Amino acid sequence: FAVESVVERGLVLGGVNVTDRWVEDVTLADLVAASVEVSSGRVAVVFGDVVLTYAEFGVRVNRLARWLIGRGVGPDVLVGLAVERSVEMIVAMHAVVAAGGAYVPIDPELPVERIGFVVESAAPQLVLTVSAFVGVLPVGVDVVVLDGLDVGGLSGGPVSDGDRVAPLRSGNAAYVMFTSGSTGRPKGVSVSHGAIVNQLAWLAGEYGVGADDRVMARAPFTFDVSVWESFLPLTVGARLVVTRPGGHRELDYLAGVMVEHAISVAEFVPSVLAALVADGFGGALGSLRHLFAGGEELSPELAVALGSLTSAAVHNTYGPTEAAVTTTAHRIVGSVSGVVPIGTPVWNTRGYVLDSRLRPVPVGVAGELYLDGAQLARGYHRRPDLTSDRFVANPFVVGARMYRTGDRVLWSAAGSLVYLGRSDFQVKIRGVRIELGEIESALGALPGVSGAVVVVHGGSRLVGYVTVASSVGSVDSVGARAAVGLVLPSYMVPDVVVVVDEFPLSSAGKLDRKALPEPVFGSRVFRAPGSASELVVAAAFAVVLGCESRVGVDDDFFVLGGNSLNATRLISRIN
């Protein structure tokens, strides 16, 4: 296409993709070291009663980094981290990066089999953990227990290339984040220093995040939002307030932390924001300057409610794991009607809305979103096949790559991207990215199961359908749900598994997902609450879950649609 026709067809759309900004060619380690030097006496990290100044934080990071260097950790060498959210976790993340390595977050609460697969796939040189989690790690892995490690004899001075096993450059990997995979196994996304540095530069430069801010780290560190939460404040001299393990699910606790520490910058998934508002904790948002909502669709109703509760700038954000956290953002100003846009590309990032032949589509027409620019990941760790499939040549910029997001979007007349949904079977539930194919593989691997299909019901409920091999006779649906819970994270376990004789097919002979039978949630036999306590609990179930039908004594909160977030709402209401 000629430039004129490209502009006309919405590729650039009046300069939306002109996002070039100068960002210094440095590493995360460089940024943190410079911040420690100029902010030595200021508070860097707060975790409960533990408070570290920048000087103290720098000493702890550099000593551990030097120990790691002594163990051969350097550029593009992976180090696993199986640690709960804590000061130790933050120090370890920064120490791996300072040594020149790339950290691999491993959630110690995951099923042992899944932890083993992540460790096997990543092949880290060693895994840092604490004594409480040694037992969940695979045998044969080089495990280092942080709470028994003595690094006091090592220098706490800044680590430089003179200390590292090889020079560290912006193109080296900073972290490898594992996410759900359509082939039945999670895949690791490798992100460079340069990509995340661009993200932090955009946040600091676009929104003025600086030394006077207080940033809350609440996202699980196996999700990429945790990267900017854990690094941004410590690169600009701000204060990082780390929430306790599991605290990201406790609304009253989160509200208390925000009020106590006057948090000024934070990110939440919209479902958590909606719960904060619904349960009367919206006042805790009052100290915010910037509130980022990402990972899920932000409804116009919630956007309006947030505008009435805080004077903060509210931003709807979007970004796949395959790019450094946030790739587009939209600031909500004034009244909101219709779909809330996901905005325009961030610094040094471009977004293209293309058809199946990689041609730009006109404004207002749906297409697939492709991303390119400084924040693109290096690819999938040790998976060149997946990398070549999803990271393709950019026909509009010589020598550049684009990432195929699989997301259907359009350009609005106002010049913003509007999210329409997926073009495949990837979903997001409460901000967590899930490939339905991975759940189907787990169900299909169960004894006696001949086929499996998973769908999303009601926007947030996972339902599995299985067929039974003729030689087996039957499969216990409750037992099937329990069995996949041994290999999948809890958020990927179907709320109910339905056994069917066969899958319905369309006239073209393809699976007709819409014709699958309606699932039944909860107890099939109703037993009414009798005691006063049972009546209170049943009523709390009904209110928190929005149950249209009666709640019986034998009903299971999680089978009815409960999750870790609204479980905390339930406990609060019962108390």
Side-chain angles (χ1 to χ4, degrees), residues 312-366:
V314 180
H315 311 275
N316 191 30
T317 64
Y318 162 88
T321 306
E322 285 81 357
V325 194
T326 303
T327 51
T328 70
H330 171 75
R331 178 171 179 175
I332 299 167
V333 179
S335 60
V336 180
S337 61
V339 178
V340 180
I342 59 172
T344 55
V346 304
W347 288 8
N348 301 310
T349 301
R350 289 171 292 275
Y352 308 114
V353 184
L354 309 178
D355 64 15
S356 60
R357 296 173 63 184
L358 299 186
R359 299 177 302 185
V361 300
V363 173
V365 175

Side-chain angles (χ1 to χ4, degrees), residues 146-168:
L146 290 170
D147 45 350
L149 185 64
D150 182 11
V151 295
L154 298 173
S155 169
V159 173
S160 68
D161 277 346
D163 303 298
R164 299 184 181 108
V165 297
L168 178 62

Side-chain angles (χ1 to χ4, degrees), residues 79-104:
V79 176
L81 296 185
V83 189
E84 286 185 316
R85 193 160 48 244
S86 58
V87 169
E88 288 72 24
M89 184 191 84
I90 300 297
V91 168
M93 291 168 68
H94 282 258
V96 172
V97 167
Y103 72 90
V104 183

Side-chain angles (χ1 to χ4, degrees), residues 5-23:
S5 65
V6 166
V7 173
E8 290 170 2
R9 302 189 67 172
L11 177 66
V12 175
L13 195 62
V16 167
N17 272 331
V18 181
T19 60
D20 293 355
R21 298 290 191 282
W22 180 83
V23 173

Side-chain angles (χ1 to χ4, degrees), residues 471-532:
S471 60
V472 176
S474 66
V475 169
D476 176 23
S477 59
V478 175
R481 184 173 180 271
V484 296
L486 298 176
V487 297
L488 296 177
S490 58
Y491 57 81
M492 293 179 69
V493 177
D495 294 289
V496 64
V497 175
V498 181
V499 179
V500 296
D501 293 331
E502 59 184 13
F503 296 132
L505 302 178
S506 67
S507 58
K510 296 182 178 180
L511 173 67
D512 186 353
R513 293 174 182 265
K514 294 181 180 180
L516 288 164
E518 190 75 9
V520 176
F521 298 100
S523 173
R524 294 179 181 273
V525 178
F526 177 75
R527 187 160 64 92
S531 68

